[in-house]
Amino acid sequence: MEFATFILAAQRGYHQSSDTVIRNSIEQAVLSEQAGFNTAWFAEHHFNNYSLVPSPLMMVAHCAGLTSTIRLGTAVCVLPLYQPQRLLSEVGFTDIVSNGRLELGVGSGYQKFEFERFGVDVDEAPAVFSEYLDIVLKGLNQEIFEHDGQYETIPPTAISVRPIQKPTPPIWIAAGSERRMRRAYREGHNLFVTAFHDGLDALGARRESIENAAASESKNVTDAKISLLRCCFASDQEAEINSYLDNARFQRRLSEALHQRRQQSQDGYLLEETPTQQDLSFESMRENLPIGSVNRVIDRLLEEISVLKPSQIAIQTQLGDFDQKTMLRQIELWGDKIIPAVNSVTHNGPAETPSGPCST
């Protein structure tokens, strides 16, 4: 089982400077390597405090100079907001400076507020994504490529700065629909999935969708790697757990607000969270998620692995204004105890039940 950190670089209020948020995120990525994580993922968002990373490729390129072994990935580059021709050169450049450690995650995006400010119709995002991914694949796989589509016409073009990974860096697709999953299996890409703050039933539904997508393309489910993005936190301190849950719920509220938001916030930037009908109580979140004591987190992860059967668990680290020193200790705790314990079970076979020395 691979483990990753998913670094959102969120800002909950002006008591956090953007400088501090970004530097904290970089520190978490560097420590992730030291703790033994396989990958650090960086998000992409614009014009609000949900996430302060406008270019995950820039974060990868910067962190590449501070690390040596950890894979560094984009989760995700929002393709409809790019010129795919320029993105191809930036992908090649980033793979070079990271010595072939780039993991290229792509998605269609969903936040209407962002799309409006780039002059892109969010309702067309799935179609634009599909065409732009076609272009990216052509540019990565062909020395000279051209394209004549609905959204882009590109004459014969050569990308001068090409990735060093052959044939291409691993490509991951944010799999929000079965149709997107089918494309991943058809073309040999990997999958990002999430169950947000829901529990095993949601993970079971995701697994069913993945199996259906693979079967529809006459593929084995294991032909694609699957990364599960998950809120996880281990502690015996109730105050730490509640702070993490509070910040996780804050992030979810902002995500939902940005999905629908049409108006500016009061200062044009910082969003104030508002409760929604999708809010879960702390008790429900603790029941649904790998959150609690170390043993509880290990046992819950083994349950979730047995249901979804992912290749990778990507834990969400930087949420809201969660305390940086506490989060750094959390990353070290995963490296010291949780990752070895989970791998000691999964290495010996599928985790059918959470029974054994880690049980509470």
Side-chain angles (χ1 to χ4, degrees), residues 4 67 79 98-99 106 182 249 252 273 296 314:
T67 58
L79 285 190
S98 66
N99 294 318
V106 295
R182 290 197 299 270
R249 191 163 65 182
R252 188 73 190 134
E273 61 177 307
R296 152 70 181 168

Side-chain angles (χ1 to χ4, degrees), residues 3-5 27-37 70 232-235 240 294 297-298 315-317 322-341:
F3 284 86
T5 47
E27 188 177 16
Q28 290 174 23
V30 172
L31 186 60
S32 296
E33 175 177 87
Q34 297 170 8
F37 284 85
I70 193 170
C232 309
F233 187 77
S235 177
E240 289 182 359
V294 169
V297 168
I298 293 168
I315 68 168
Q316 284 207 268
T317 55
F322 192 81
D323 179 68
Q324 173 72 353
K325 290 182 180 179
T326 305
M327 182 49 65
L328 296 178
R329 290 198 304 271
Q330 181 72 189
I331 292 171
E332 291 177 332
L333 178 64
W334 278 72
D336 289 342
K337 294 186 178 180
I338 298 174
I339 293 174

Side-chain angles (χ1 to χ4, degrees), residues 150-298:
Q150 180 180 356
Y151 299 101
E152 289 287 339
T153 299
I154 304 172
T157 301
I159 302 299
S160 56
V161 183
R162 305 186 65 84
I164 60 177
Q165 295 185 81
K166 304 300 180 187
T168 73
I171 296 174
W172 297 74
I173 294 181
S177 67
E178 205 166 294
R179 180 179 180 182
R180 196 71 56 77
M181 294 177 187
R182 290 197 299 270
R183 176 166 187 175
Y185 275 102
R186 184 166 61 249
E187 298 179 351
H189 310 316
N190 302 319
L191 299 172
F192 289 119
V193 299
T194 180
F196 300 108
H197 298 159
D198 297 326
L200 295 177
D201 289 345
L203 290 173
R206 296 291 184 277
R207 179 66 187 186
E208 183 177 357
S209 295
I210 294 168
E211 291 175 347
N212 290 340
S216 70
E217 299 296 330
S218 301
K219 302 290 186 179
N220 295 319
V221 176
T222 53
D223 288 343
K225 294 176 70 173
I226 301 164
S227 180
L228 172 62
L229 172 60
R230 205 65 167 141
C231 287
C232 309
F233 187 77
S235 177
D236 292 322
Q237 302 298 316
E238 198 71 14
E240 289 182 359
I241 291 174
N242 286 339
S243 177
Y244 185 83
L245 291 169
D246 180 57
N247 280 288
R249 191 163 65 182
F250 158 78
Q251 292 292 161
R252 188 73 190 134
R253 286 172 174 173
L254 258 59
S255 177
E256 291 164 359
L258 288 164
H259 190 280
Q260 301 293 334
R261 187 162 77 108
R262 300 174 186 272
Q263 76 280 6
Q264 282 276 19
S265 59
Q266 186 173 359
D267 65 357
Y269 158 63
L270 192 72
L271 292 171
E272 292 185 7
E273 61 177 307
T274 55
T276 73
Q277 293 182 342
Q278 287 73 37
D279 278 351
L280 296 177
S281 67
F282 286 0
E283 291 76 15
S284 295
M285 292 171 70
R286 288 184 70 160
E287 181 178 348
N288 288 346
L289 297 166
I291 291 176
S293 69
V294 169
N295 284 349
R296 152 70 181 168
V297 168
I298 293 168

Side-chain angles (χ1 to χ4, degrees), residues 64-118:
L66 303 174
T67 58
S68 58
T69 59
I70 193 170
R71 306 286 296 179
L72 300 165
T74 64
V76 294
C77 289
V78 183
L79 285 190
L81 305 184
Y82 285 83
Q83 281 186 315
Q85 310 92 309
R86 182 182 182 112
L87 178 64
L88 279 163
S89 294
E90 293 178 352
V91 166
F93 180 90
T94 305
D95 197 48
I96 290 170
V97 299
S98 66
N99 294 318
R101 288 186 283 143
L102 173 64
E103 301 278 326
L104 181 60
V106 295
S108 60
Y110 67 93
Q111 292 188 1
K112 181 179 177 68
F113 186 79
E114 294 178 324
F115 275 68
E116 287 177 338
R117 279 143 190 82
F118 281 105

Side-chain angles (χ1 to χ4, degrees), residues 3-78:
F3 284 86
T5 47
F6 176 76
I7 300 171
L8 193 58
Q11 181 186 27
R12 194 165 186 176
Y14 288 123
H15 60 288
Q16 302 165 278
S17 69
S18 57
D19 173 83
T20 298
V21 171
I22 295 298
R23 294 189 184 281
N24 285 352
S25 298
I26 293 167
E27 188 177 16
Q28 290 174 23
V30 172
L31 186 60
S32 296
E33 175 177 87
Q34 297 170 8
F37 284 85
N38 302 92
T39 307
W41 297 104
F42 303 101
E44 174 186 339
H45 289 284
H46 304 272
F47 312 126
N48 58 72
N49 55 310
Y50 178 74
S51 170
L52 300 190
V53 178
S55 170
L57 285 171
M58 289 182 71
M59 284 290 281
V60 169
H62 177 75
C63 290
L66 303 174
T67 58
S68 58
T69 59
I70 193 170
R71 306 286 296 179
L72 300 165
T74 64
V76 294
C77 289
V78 183

